[in-house]
Amino acid sequence: MSQLATDALVEVRPVAATTAEAPDDARKARIESLKPLVLDALVPTASYYLLSKGFGMGTMAALAWSSVVPAARTLWSLVKERRVNGLAALILTANVVGLLASLVAGDPRLMLAKDSAITATVGIAILLSVVAGRPLMTAGLKPWVTKGNAARTAAWERLSAERGRFARLERMFSVVWGLALFGEALLRVVGAYTLPVDTMVWLGGAIAAGTITLTMFVSGGLVVGPMEKMVEADVVGVARGADASGR
């Protein structure tokens, strides 16, 4: 839901200088690192809800219009960079699944369950990306661990390249989110066919919100916290080594 620039040369400063470097530069670097996540995932998703819930546009029309950005990004990656933009392609695929599911009409329970098809598609795609060695959720994880700091970014690259515990935690983050989204979709399908329709109209949103909140808490404790400590330790180690060699 990662492209590793392991050959990039990054100047590593002593810890005191690193933590005190220009806040504006750190903010700019973090914003730049978040751009792919915003363009490929947040903009299409927000567009769908704004068009469907805010402006009352039909589901099919809202899904079609919200697919413009991820479709353009996917096509641009194929033509310009000769590779598939994983996150944009994922959102585009989920929207196509939603469009196909929207063709089903007449059964209110089936209509309630169709949103779960989109969530399940995203969850499965995230899990498959882990198997393929390119965890999709890294796009959202890396900026929060590195905080747009050059030394922390260099530490991420070194630790990830070692393919040790750090890389396992990186994969675990995507596994946690993939399983959570797929489980949430399964739970809503069960609810759509076992609970009253009126109940599931509001309960579906509550399940989604609860799943996201719980998954953020769990993934933060299991993955983000330990990865931040490993990055900080690596930065300190490199800074001390550079200081010792300079004496």
Side-chain angles (χ1 to χ4, degrees):
M1 107 131 21
S2 71
Q3 297 295 316
L4 298 178
T6 53
D7 57 343
L9 297 178
V10 181
E11 178 186 0
V12 180
R13 308 174 190 174
V15 178
T18 299
T19 54
E21 64 181 339
D24 288 342
D25 292 341
R27 271 196 299 271
K28 287 178 181 177
R30 192 166 187 173
I31 290 172
E32 284 297 319
S33 65
L34 284 171
K35 274 186 179 179
L37 182 65
V38 172
L39 290 174
D40 297 333
L42 296 184
V43 168
T45 303
S47 298
Y48 167 72
Y49 283 106
L50 179 65
L51 293 172
S52 62
K53 310 299 182 184
F55 292 98
M57 187 176 289
T59 301
M60 293 188 68
L63 282 170
W65 280 109
S66 63
S67 298
V68 172
V69 171
R73 294 271 293 173
T74 301
L75 183 61
W76 175 259
S77 294
L78 287 172
V79 174
K80 182 72 175 178
E81 303 172 8
R82 298 293 191 274
R83 67 179 181 86
V84 176
N85 184 319
L87 197 54
L90 170 60
I91 298 299
L92 179 61
T93 301
N95 282 358
V96 170
V97 171
L99 283 167
L100 295 175
S102 296
L103 296 175
V104 181
D107 185 347
R109 293 188 180 276
L110 192 57
M111 292 301 292
L112 279 174
K114 73 176 176 61
D115 288 339
S116 300
I118 300 175
T119 306
T121 300
V122 173
I124 292 171
I126 291 174
L127 293 174
L128 289 177
S129 74
V130 176
V131 176
R134 296 167 61 100
L136 285 171
M137 293 302 292
T138 295
L141 171 64
K142 185 176 180 180
W144 296 107
V145 175
T146 61
K147 306 183 190 307
N149 181 282
R152 293 177 69 91
T153 300
W156 172 292
E157 307 296 356
R158 286 190 296 271
L159 291 168
S160 184
E162 291 173 0
R163 314 308 298 171
R165 179 172 178 246
F166 191 86
R168 290 195 297 272
L169 288 171
E170 182 185 348
R171 294 192 298 271
M172 183 187 295
F173 187 78
S174 286
V175 169
V176 169
W177 277 95
L179 291 175
L181 292 174
F182 184 78
E184 182 260 351
L186 186 62
L187 185 60
R188 281 201 287 160
V189 169
V190 172
Y193 284 96
T194 58
L195 297 175
V197 172
D198 290 343
T199 300
M200 275 306 298
V201 168
W202 65 265
L203 185 58
I207 291 174
T211 298
I212 292 173
T213 301
L214 180 61
T215 307
M216 289 176 64
F217 178 79
V218 172
S219 62
L222 286 178
V223 178
V224 180
M227 290 182 81
E228 287 183 332
K229 290 179 181 178
M230 292 178 71
V231 165
E232 290 166 4
D234 185 88
V235 170
V236 170
V238 169
R240 286 176 178 170
D243 184 57
S245 63
R247 291 176 182 174

